[in-house]
Amino acid sequence: MYFPGLLLNNTTMWLTFLVSLSLLAKPSSAATATSADKVLSNHATIFADNSASLALSLYQNMAKEKGAENILISPVVVASSLGLVALGGKGSTASQVKTILNASKVQDEQLHSGLAELLTEVSDPKARNVTWKISSRLYGPSSVTFVDEFVKSSKKHYKCDHSKINFRDKKSAVKSINEWAAKSTGGKLPEVTKEVENTDGAMIINAMFFKPHWDEKFHPKMVDDRGFLVTSSHAVSLQMMHRTGLFDFYDDTTNKLYLLSMPLAQKKSTVVFIMPYHVEPLERLEKMLNKTQLDTWMGKMKQTAVAVSLPKVSMEVSHNLQKHLQELGLTEAVDKSKADLSNVSGKKDLYLSSVLHAAALEWDTHGNEIDTSIFGTEKLKSPKLFYADHPFIFLIKDKKTNSVLFIGRMVRPKGEKMKDEL
């Protein structure tokens, strides 16, 4: 192509021309920035950094609960529910939220925008290639009137819907709540509550469906029927999926447990499994589980050839977090005589009677294509075994933001009890 006046033999002008063309093709670096280039704001980073502490504190409280089995909580979603309380609260009712989130110095607007920014970032289905449906709703008694500004702000920051409900008709209220949760999660959560305890308070409900997409999939034909040992004398029948690959792994011979980290799609997040050598109650591991110990374990993990077997199941868990949040310091919002949620209704006529946190997690074979180039090489020779056929703890950690997306334990997966074989 001929460009009049262009002296091609002049190196300087030629380079200038190339730069001009590139600028025409790309108007500005800011305009072409993708979500991968974004850096979290300072206030969003505070919540990301503190998500591990919130996760472990909540988990420890819940694990002590008598009769508790499977646990599944998302600390970044719990933080959003707390943000909703702060948005609706005044005085110490609101400031207690900041204390729990270790964000006492964060301004109100930054609190809400930071929590919204973090949750939007980690739940982006395109950037992380996961299925994560999150629905939130604030239910108030029939007598309440929601303030327009609160409704507008809570939708803006927390994508929270609002509904008035007659809690006195308990059967109808339970049915309505469960129908909303089922619809919000595409039928993955058919029941989030069996009863309504209090008829005069407000209820926050999170309903979620999360399906990890492995960075390298399990082959769908490498699935078979196995047994999962709930205890040494009680097993349930379920499907197990198997694959061998290179994963971050640590064999803690002192504490007799394994750690395995399996990346999810695009390697922006990973699932960390913590499992004792043999079937046993998880209490021993849970007593060790704190941020310092977790960081120590993670620092000792090395890429290792591992033959992995995981349950191919879904787990649906619903927790009422009110008591556990109260133990962490949320004492006023849940106290009828002390709560000041007047930003919600315009007067002090409301308190927080329940915080329902319900999630469905589906463990499946789906993921990206497997790198077969390492098969038959020395890299996969003599793999370690990670056979998850007994209770284990897991965390889903986001690498970009360093936040904990989920923490939980699988103690009793769905399955028929296996009969004793003679």
Side-chain angles (χ1 to χ4, degrees), residues 171-270:
K171 187 176 179 180
S172 177
V174 167
K175 183 184 178 189
S176 178
I177 290 167
N178 286 333
E179 285 178 350
W180 167 79
K183 185 178 180 181
S184 300
T185 57
K188 299 295 183 179
L189 277 174
E191 182 179 85
V192 297
T193 187
K194 293 181 183 295
E195 61 178 337
V196 172
E197 294 180 7
N198 299 297
T199 60
D200 57 348
M203 178 186 286
I204 295 174
I205 303 183
N206 303 128
M208 292 169 283
F209 171 55
F210 186 85
K211 184 174 181 177
H213 186 96
W214 303 107
D215 184 57
E216 291 189 18
K217 68 183 181 182
F218 287 78
H219 196 288
K221 290 185 178 179
M222 292 185 68
V223 176
D224 55 14
D225 295 326
R226 301 285 178 106
F228 185 97
L229 289 163
V230 178
T231 67
S232 56
S233 60
H234 181 97
V236 296
S237 175
L238 47 68
Q239 288 192 314
M240 294 279 277
M241 49 191 184
H242 316 275
R243 66 154 306 203
T244 300
L246 291 174
F247 304 104
D248 286 341
F249 181 81
Y250 176 57
D251 180 355
D252 186 341
T253 54
T254 303
N255 292 306
K256 295 182 171 55
L257 58 87
Y258 301 115
L259 275 93
L260 171 71
S261 177
M262 294 186 68
L264 299 182
Q266 302 184 28
K267 297 184 178 180
K268 289 189 177 178
S269 54
T270 186

Side-chain angles (χ1 to χ4, degrees), residues 7-176:
L7 300 177
L8 295 180
N9 61 338
N10 186 309
T11 305
T12 303
M13 291 187 68
W14 176 237
L15 289 173
T16 303
F17 174 65
L18 286 176
V19 171
S20 300
L21 276 183
S22 68
L23 290 174
L24 285 171
K26 297 181 180 180
S28 72
S29 58
T32 58
T34 64
S35 59
D37 303 318
K38 288 180 183 175
V39 177
L40 284 183
S41 63
N42 289 337
H43 36 286
T45 301
I46 289 172
F47 303 125
D49 291 343
N50 291 330
S51 63
S53 298
L54 178 61
L56 293 169
S57 297
L58 267 177
Y59 180 93
Q60 295 285 11
N61 280 342
M62 296 167 76
K64 294 172 187 173
E65 199 168 35
K66 190 176 180 180
E69 292 184 331
N70 296 339
I71 292 175
L72 181 60
I73 48 174
S74 171
V76 291
V77 174
V78 172
S80 293
S81 292
L82 287 168
L84 191 65
V85 174
L87 186 68
K90 289 184 178 179
S92 51
T93 298
S95 63
Q96 283 185 345
V97 169
K98 290 186 177 181
T99 303
I100 296 170
L101 295 176
N102 198 20
S104 299
K105 296 180 180 180
V106 176
Q107 298 296 317
D108 288 352
E109 184 56 34
Q110 291 182 331
L111 172 81
H112 304 306
S113 63
L115 287 170
E117 180 187 350
L118 175 61
L119 191 56
T120 299
E121 170 66 38
V122 299
S123 63
D124 183 344
K126 290 184 179 178
R128 279 165 175 72
N129 201 7
V130 298
T131 299
W132 194 0
K133 296 178 181 178
I134 307 170
S135 297
S136 299
R137 178 168 280 197
L138 175 68
Y139 284 96
S142 307
S143 57
V144 76
T145 301
F146 293 117
V147 173
D148 289 342
E149 183 57 35
F150 172 78
V151 170
K152 182 180 176 182
S153 296
S154 56
K155 283 184 177 179
K156 173 186 174 184
H157 294 300
Y158 302 113
K159 297 183 176 65
C160 182
D161 292 328
H162 307 78
S163 179
K164 292 197 284 186
I165 195 168
N166 181 12
F167 286 126
R168 296 184 187 280
D169 185 350
K170 293 187 176 184
K171 187 176 179 180
S172 177
V174 167
K175 183 184 178 189
S176 178

